[in-house]
Amino acid sequence: MAPILEVDRVVKRFGGVAAVNDVSFALEPGRIYGLIGPNGSGKTTLFNCITGVDRPDEGQIRFKGQRIDRLKPHRIFHLGLGRTFQVIRVFPELTALENLLVVTTSDYDEARERARALLARVKLDELADEFAGDLSYGQQKLVEFVRVLMTDPELILLDEPAAGVNRTLLNELLDAVRQLRDQGKTVLLVEHDMKVVMGLCETVFVLDHGEKLAEGTPGVIQADERVIEAYFGR
Amino acid sequence: MKRRAPIALLVLAAALALYPLEATGYGLRVMLQLFMWIALAQSWNLISGLTGYVSFGHVVFYGTGAYASSLLIVKAGLPWPLACLGGGVAGALLALIIGWPCLRLRGPYFAIAMLGLNEVMRVVVSYYEGLTGGGNGLSLPTLDASLAIYYAMGLVAAGVTAVAHAILTSRFGLRLMTIREDEVAGEAMGIDTLRYKLYALVLSAIGPGIVGGLSARDQGYIEPISVFPLIMTITMIVMALFGGKGTIWGPVLGATVLFLFQEAVWARFVYLHQLLFGAIIVAVVLLMPRGILGVLQQKYNLPRTI
Amino acid sequence: MVGQVVISGLLAGSIYAMVALGLGLIFGVMRVLNVAHGPLLMLGAYTTFWLFQWLGLNPYLSLLVTMPALFLVGVLLQGTLVRRVVDAPELSSLLLTFGVSIALVNLAQLAFTSDLRSVEYLTGSFVVGSFAISKPRLAACAFAVAITGASFVFLRSTRLGKAIRAVSQSREVAQVCGIDVQRIHLLAFGLGTALAAAGGTLVAVMVAIQPEMGQVYTFKSFLVIVLGGAGNYPGALLGGLFLGLVEQLSSLFLTAQVNEAVAYVLLVLVLLVRPTGLLRGRV
């Protein structure tokens, strides 16, 4: 099967420093991938390059065979690639429901039904008409999560979904991610919580100082000496 | 409440329509100006209140409309109602031309660019003396159309408020608000923020364009300083802020309260009046950033579409 | 011709650079666009005028008064008003300083009237070869260079100066390093205002003093910051000189009135083409 996402020798510099330095990998559809690495290793920058927030200085990024590294974020979204953010970015003065509604251009009633269904899936249907800014941290995280699903994207990038989330909520999220995979979607997540990554992801990429250090199943990665060194110092 | 509102509005509209029968020349003038300020404050609200992109030079659309419409009357012989609509078109075109590059800038940069734009237009108008009469101004053929202009201004004020209502109750409005709330997230969620900002700016320029034309027709004479004054931008902003930006009736409330107060109390003392406006802006930003309606909305849990 | 333009440009540019550095400090440290910067410059000019009028004080000596006095005004503004909107959406600080600027200009109108004033202290030019160098401009440039130079020494070498630069780069990191960010904010605003005041004093000898005189300096300072890059303090210097040169150059081809618009057009152009500035800076 053709890869759904190809990151091809991407380089991104800020000032004189290469935040992402010649990184390449490919994602097969229908699997859950993890991206890990110590702080400052370039994970978020890479995410930003993939989603169009930043433009790579060198290299290409292809989604379903089509180049996306020069497209604006909203175009990339409409091609079927969605993301959540490390720092929650819900629209605080819109209700939870409205947060989802703004995303689609489809028929209003249809969109409303879909939004309510998605909120129900994460047990937030009671709070649909609350302002997103008034919800708890965990609830906001869930809203952001289902918001991305409104247009049924094929590839979903999750930026630290487990950060600051309690156990129960985390399990719900992880279940939801597995459900997505079972539906044929592809998920790439950036995470610091190793238990989450090892328990959820089928393949893991490791970044260190902007370079791809290793790639493999969780078991292989955990045993890789270079990875251990990167995390715990030389 | 919901069923009574349209009736109340109809009654109000009827009262305003019949007002000229009873009014003195001065009274007519006052209401005419009030309509103008409502239209201006509400128009400013469409871009700055909804998207959060503060337009510091919004009067540029007013001035452009004034000149475009006056030139259409003087040089092309158009009847003034059509010419004023032309003023609106001119405002919209300017918004399109300037918005396309400038709306890519972030908040403060856009605000200053708009401020600069106002000055540039003033200089441009002065420069093309042959066409616009430059610093000597432009005179329109004498005509007393106060009554007709009263109704025209009223229609524009109502129209812009109706547009605000339509936007705030639609998904289009929600999308505009995401620009204010979190533009990066909006982009990530598939909203072409540049396009939406452009729509909002163009919509916000039509009102001032038409009103500029109407004002020019009413006064019979315009010159660069009179139609591009910073004080008009300031007044629009104060009115919308005070009443509540981002709401439907906020600008109407703010315009009404501040204008009537101004007329009754301090219009004679120009500098004091402007000083007070400056102080009000500071006070509103610090104490009630959402304006009067915003405060009421929070206190009594009123809907957003107020 | 060209030589004259270059000289005039550099002389004018040095003042732009100094005043813009003031705005740049405030923007760099707090991300607040101080729309009241021009009116603060105007207050400096008026202070110099009144000191000259009543006490016969040498305008250049009055720098010793206007700079500290307006430093305090700046600290007051920051401490009472601006502090409350530093963390609010940028829109709020923009509107706040806008409100303050309107208030200041109109206070000046009420207090001083819009009659034009001037400080007749130094007039005329030196003639050197085929160049005419205006005396007040030269003096202004000399002081501007001295003050700006001192500012840079302060920023580079003193503990407080380094703290300012640290906060400009990252407030969180600076806090973690034990820097009292609130104090730095006060200091930066005060310094920024003092630099504006210095500009007002120097300019008072050359131009007509009236309440609205500052507006154009707010704008040009902003342009200089954009040219040099936000947070890039040396960039502000180059930006200021650049603006001075461009204005003088274009005055050869354009009428005085149209020349006013040059700065504005330049700003729009730069914002569109390279919003991070001609040098490297953060948007």
Side-chain angles (χ1 to χ4, degrees), chain B residues 31-134:
Chain B
M31 287 307 286
L32 189 159
Q33 287 200 296
L34 174 60
F35 290 153
M36 179 184 83
W37 285 112
I38 291 177
L40 288 173
Q42 188 68 273
S43 295
W44 186 84
N45 185 33
L46 290 181
I47 177 81
S48 308
L50 291 180
T51 67
Y53 268 68
V54 182
S55 169
F56 266 168
H58 218 66
V59 73
V60 73
F61 303 118
Y62 172 88
T64 305
Y67 267 95
S69 141
S70 302
L71 286 173
L72 283 173
I73 294 177
V74 168
K75 309 273 176 175
L78 272 163
W80 65 262
L82 270 178
C84 290
L85 285 176
V89 170
L93 275 174
L94 181 65
L96 194 60
I97 296 173
I98 208 65
W100 177 249
C102 289
L103 285 167
R104 292 159 202 272
L105 307 170
R106 295 246 287 282
Y109 295 83
F110 172 74
I112 298 287
M114 286 301 289
L115 185 63
L117 176 67
N118 194 35
E119 297 306 311
V120 170
M121 282 307 286
R122 193 165 54 79
V123 168
V124 164
V125 163
S126 305
Y127 183 71
Y128 287 102
E129 284 192 77
L131 187 64
T132 63

Side-chain angles (χ1 to χ4, degrees), chain C:
Chain C
M1 235 338 157
V2 176
Q4 178 72 59
V5 161
V6 169
I7 293 181
S8 305
L10 290 177
L11 291 181
S14 61
I15 302 197
Y16 288 148
M18 178 182 70
V19 175
L21 180 64
L23 186 70
L25 273 172
I26 298 174
F27 191 56
V29 170
M30 288 170 264
R31 303 317 251 168
V32 166
L33 198 61
N34 183 19
V35 185
H37 202 63
L40 291 165
L41 179 149
M42 175 265 294
L43 288 181
Y46 267 105
T47 309
T48 298
F49 170 75
W50 292 118
L51 288 174
F52 180 72
Q53 186 86 321
W54 291 332
L55 304 178
L57 184 63
N58 178 329
Y60 298 107
L61 274 182
S62 73
L63 280 172
L64 294 171
V65 176
T66 59
M67 286 186 76
L70 276 138
F71 175 88
L72 288 174
V73 169
V75 167
L76 189 70
L77 274 176
Q78 212 285 339
T80 54
L81 300 176
V82 179
R83 174 170 65 95
R84 298 170 203 269
V85 291
V86 169
D87 288 315
E90 286 172 331
L91 167 56
S92 301
S93 59
L94 207 52
L95 285 169
L96 181 81
T97 54
F98 183 64
V100 169
S101 78
I102 301 169
L104 286 176
V105 169
N106 285 287
L107 270 173
Q109 294 274 24
L110 286 173
F112 308 135
T113 80
S114 49
D115 289 346
L116 298 177
R117 324 280 180 153
S118 60
V119 173
E120 303 275 335
Y121 183 73
L122 202 60
T123 52
S125 324
F126 293 116
V127 177
V128 177
S130 55
F131 303 131
I133 304 179
S134 148
K135 287 187 199 167
R137 281 197 187 280
L138 185 62
C141 176
F143 280 100
V145 168
I147 295 173
T148 311
S151 305
F152 271 101
V153 169
F154 173 75
L155 284 175
R156 279 273 120 110
S157 317
T158 68
R159 197 172 47 88
L160 282 175
K162 290 185 191 169
I164 287 181
R165 278 162 47 220
V167 175
S168 304
Q169 294 196 7
S170 167
R171 198 204 297 191
E172 286 81 25
V173 174
Q175 266 176 324
V176 165
C177 292
I179 294 178
D180 183 347
V181 171
Q182 182 44 32
R183 256 183 81 203
I184 297 298
H185 282 185
L186 286 170
L187 181 63
F189 210 96
L191 280 178
T193 309
L195 287 170
T201 298
L202 295 174
V203 153
V205 183
M206 303 186 289
V207 302
I209 305 172
Q210 40 95 3
E212 310 240 314
M213 68 183 287
Q215 316 281 39
V216 71
Y217 284 95
T218 307
F219 198 82
K220 291 186 181 177
S221 299
F222 183 70
L223 170 56
V224 170
I225 298 303
V226 170
L227 282 173
N232 183 348
Y233 301 130
L237 277 193
L238 292 172
L241 294 175
F242 181 75
L243 177 60
L245 285 171
V246 167
E247 274 192 341
Q248 290 298 319
L249 194 62
S250 64
S251 71
L252 291 179
F253 309 109
L254 302 171
T255 67
Q257 226 194 358
V258 179
N259 211 44
E260 278 173 40
V262 166
Y264 300 112
V265 172
L266 192 58
L267 176 71
V268 176
L269 282 176
V270 175
L271 282 178
L272 297 178
V273 172
R274 249 185 97 88
T276 48
L278 298 181
L279 307 176
R280 272 184 277 117
R282 298 164 301 152
V283 171

Side-chain angles (χ1 to χ4, degrees), chain A residues 53 72-75 77-78 81-85 88-95 98 101-108 111 131 144 147-148, chain B residues 104 169-171 173-196 290 298 301-304:
Chain A
V53 174
K72 278 174 131 187
H74 67 266
R75 291 275 299 278
F77 180 79
H78 284 295
L81 198 166
R83 80 170 281 181
T84 64
F85 291 90
I88 298 187
R89 288 179 176 262
V90 289
F91 304 119
E93 308 237 338
L94 269 57
T95 66
E98 286 168 342
L101 279 178
V102 282
V103 175
T104 73
T105 46
S106 62
D107 177 64
Y108 203 68
F131 286 124
E144 219 195 315
R147 184 176 64 182
V148 137
Chain B
R104 292 159 202 272
T169 51
S170 71
R171 225 176 350 175
L174 285 179
R175 295 213 178 92
L176 288 181
M177 284 188 266
T178 65
I179 297 172
R180 178 186 69 199
E181 304 281 291
D182 193 331
E183 196 169 354
V184 172
E187 273 279 333
M189 292 299 119
I191 298 172
D192 186 349
T193 54
L194 180 62
R195 193 145 59 96
Y196 280 88
R290 289 144 139 259
Q298 282 197 315
N301 238 328
L302 299 172
R304 181 195 295 125

Side-chain angles (χ1 to χ4, degrees), chain B residues 26-41 62 146 149-150 153-154 157 211 215 218-219 232 239 255-256 259-260 262-263 267:
Chain B
Y26 175 70
L28 196 69
R29 199 132 282 276
V30 166
M31 287 307 286
L32 189 159
Q33 287 200 296
L34 174 60
F35 290 153
M36 179 184 83
W37 285 112
I38 291 177
L40 288 173
Y62 172 88
S146 302
I149 294 184
Y150 168 86
M153 286 281 196
V211 158
S215 273
D218 190 44
Q219 318 220 310
M232 277 192 99
M239 288 175 170
T256 310
F259 176 72
L260 292 179
Q262 169 191 319
E263 273 301 299

Side-chain angles (χ1 to χ4, degrees), chain A residues 57-201:
Chain A
D57 294 313
E58 286 172 43
Q60 285 190 15
I61 302 178
R62 290 184 292 277
F63 179 64
K64 296 193 286 191
Q66 181 184 351
R67 259 188 90 161
I68 59 170
D69 46 281
R70 296 193 179 286
L71 295 181
K72 278 174 131 187
H74 67 266
R75 291 275 299 278
I76 296 179
F77 180 79
H78 284 295
L79 289 176
L81 198 166
R83 80 170 281 181
T84 64
F85 291 90
Q86 192 175 357
V87 177
I88 298 187
R89 288 179 176 262
V90 289
F91 304 119
E93 308 237 338
L94 269 57
T95 66
L97 188 67
E98 286 168 342
N99 260 272
L100 272 62
L101 279 178
V102 282
V103 175
T104 73
T105 46
S106 62
D107 177 64
Y108 203 68
D109 295 312
E110 204 186 293
R112 221 204 216 109
E113 269 190 48
R114 187 176 164 76
R116 285 202 185 275
L118 279 171
L119 284 172
R121 229 163 89 176
V122 286
K123 303 195 190 73
L124 284 180
D125 42 322
E126 307 265 297
L127 299 169
D129 294 317
E130 294 292 317
F131 286 124
D134 295 335
L135 299 177
S136 76
Y137 184 87
Q139 290 166 337
Q140 287 183 8
K141 260 227 135 107
L142 285 174
V143 169
E144 219 195 315
F145 180 67
V146 293
R147 184 176 64 182
V148 137
L149 301 178
M150 272 300 281
T151 50
D152 212 18
E154 292 163 63
L155 171 61
I156 300 147
L157 269 50
L158 300 173
D159 202 342
E160 301 205 25
V165 166
N166 69 56
R167 247 323 180 49
T168 339
L169 202 59
L170 183 57
N171 286 328
E172 275 178 39
L173 258 174
L174 298 182
D175 277 334
V177 173
R178 286 193 195 94
Q179 270 176 30
L180 288 173
R181 186 264 320 270
D182 294 336
Q183 286 166 4
K185 309 229 178 282
T186 316
V187 177
L188 171 64
L189 48 84
V190 163
E191 227 346 298
H192 278 297
D193 186 334
M194 283 307 137
K195 273 198 287 194
V196 167
V197 174
M198 300 309 169
L200 188 64
C201 305

Side-chain angles (χ1 to χ4, degrees), chain B residues 34 37-38 238-239 242-243 249-266 277 280 292:
Chain B
L34 174 60
W37 285 112
I38 291 177
V238 178
M239 288 175 170
F242 184 73
W249 295 102
V252 178
L253 178 64
T256 310
V257 169
L258 287 176
F259 176 72
L260 292 179
F261 217 68
Q262 169 191 319
E263 273 301 299
V265 178
W266 69 67
F277 273 178
I280 292 177
I292 295 184

